[in-house]
Amino acid sequence: MGSTQQMIMGILMWVAVFAVFYFLLIRPQKKKEKQLKEMRETLSVGDKVSTIGGIIATVAKVEEDHVVLELGPNRNKVPFEKWAIGTVEPKKKSE
C-alpha cells in the first residue's frame, strides 16, 4: 500500500512541476510570439519601424515575406525579411 502511494505522489509531483513550467515559461513565450506575428502581419506603408538590428526606418512597401524600408535622408530603399522587424512605433492620433 505504501509503495503505490509513493508512486502516485511522485507522479503528482512531476505533473505539478510541468504545470509550473507551462504557466511560468511556455505560455508567456507563446503569447509574446503570437503578438509579434500579429504586429508583423499588420505592417502598412508609412509605419515607422525598428529592426532587431537597431535600424530605424519607414515602411515603403509590404510584400508577403519581405518589407522594403526607406532609410536615411536620401530615402534609400532596402529590403528586409519581416521577421527582422522588432517594433512598430505607434501612430499618432491626428486631432
Side-chain angles (χ1 to χ4, degrees):
M1 187 61 81
S3 66
T4 57
Q5 280 184 330
Q6 286 179 341
M7 188 170 70
I8 291 172
M9 291 301 287
I11 292 171
L12 289 176
M13 181 186 71
W14 283 108
V15 168
V17 167
F18 179 76
V20 168
F21 272 103
Y22 177 78
F23 284 108
L24 293 179
L25 300 174
I26 299 170
R27 191 169 179 227
Q29 183 66 28
K30 287 188 183 261
K31 187 176 181 180
K32 185 176 179 181
E33 287 174 7
K34 183 180 176 184
Q35 289 174 336
L36 275 172
K37 184 178 178 186
E38 286 177 11
M39 179 265 303
R40 290 174 179 147
E41 293 298 322
T42 59
L43 284 173
S44 60
V45 174
D47 287 347
K48 293 215 181 272
V49 298
S50 174
T51 67
I52 58 175
I55 297 172
I56 299 171
T58 303
V59 177
K61 183 178 179 184
V62 179
E63 298 173 356
E64 189 172 329
D65 293 331
H66 300 84
V67 292
V68 177
L69 301 180
E70 290 181 347
L71 306 172
N74 294 335
R75 301 178 75 183
N76 297 326
K77 291 182 168 56
V78 181
F80 280 85
E81 296 280 342
K82 273 190 178 179
W83 61 261
I85 304 299
T87 59
V88 176
E89 186 178 304
K91 292 188 179 189
K92 296 177 183 173
K93 295 180 182 178
S94 57
E95 297 179 29

